[in-house]
Amino acid sequence: MEFWIDWYFKYEDLIIMKTLINFFFAYLAVAIILSFLLQSVNAGITAAFLLSCYMFPGYLCGSRGHPNQDSICVLNLLLGWTIIGWIIALIWAVSDFDESKKKDTII
């Protein structure tokens, strides 16, 4: 499956689409695990959705190889609950950066 995704999304312009597909599969895995732990499918899906939305800026900057991904994740963890902090982390995660400073990613 990973080979197909890498072949299909070989263009740099489609990195956001690849990020969303990987994020969706990670969301499904978290939803299944939380459903078992909470012993309710609805509670597991809801908790996984809220957790995924909360952590999306960190996942996005990590998949793009943003050079400040550690700082963005810390900002999101500490101030993401204020909504303003989450919006700032999201804007920072999608902001343009110098491609020469891009980190290697496994996604």
Side-chain angles (χ1 to χ4, degrees), residues 48-103:
F49 178 74
L50 293 174
L51 182 64
S52 299
C53 288
Y54 184 74
M55 295 308 296
F56 185 70
Y59 185 81
L60 183 62
C61 71
S63 66
R64 293 183 70 222
H66 202 288
N68 296 324
Q69 69 186 37
D70 297 334
S71 301
I72 295 170
C73 290
V74 168
L75 172 71
N76 188 37
L77 282 174
L78 298 179
L79 296 176
W81 62 272
T82 63
I83 298 178
I84 293 173
W86 187 87
I87 292 171
I88 291 171
L90 183 63
I91 291 171
W92 194 5
V94 297
S95 65
D96 290 333
F97 56 89
D98 188 10
E99 290 292 326
S100 65
K101 295 180 182 176
K102 182 176 181 178
K103 293 183 179 179

Side-chain angles (χ1 to χ4, degrees), residues 21-71:
I21 288 173
N22 288 332
F23 189 72
F24 175 73
F25 286 123
Y27 164 75
L28 286 178
V30 169
I32 291 170
I33 291 169
L34 287 175
S35 294
F36 283 122
L37 292 176
L38 298 174
Q39 298 178 349
S40 171
V41 175
N42 291 337
I45 290 173
T46 303
F49 178 74
L50 293 174
L51 182 64
S52 299
C53 288
Y54 184 74
M55 295 308 296
F56 185 70
Y59 185 81
L60 183 62
C61 71
S63 66
R64 293 183 70 222
H66 202 288
N68 296 324
Q69 69 186 37
D70 297 334
S71 301

Side-chain angles (χ1 to χ4, degrees), residues 3-21:
F3 171 76
W4 180 83
I5 290 174
D6 285 340
W7 174 80
Y8 187 76
F9 296 112
K10 63 183 176 182
Y11 300 106
E12 188 66 29
D13 296 339
L14 297 176
I15 191 71
I16 299 295
M17 181 65 80
K18 185 177 176 183
T19 299
L20 291 175
I21 288 173

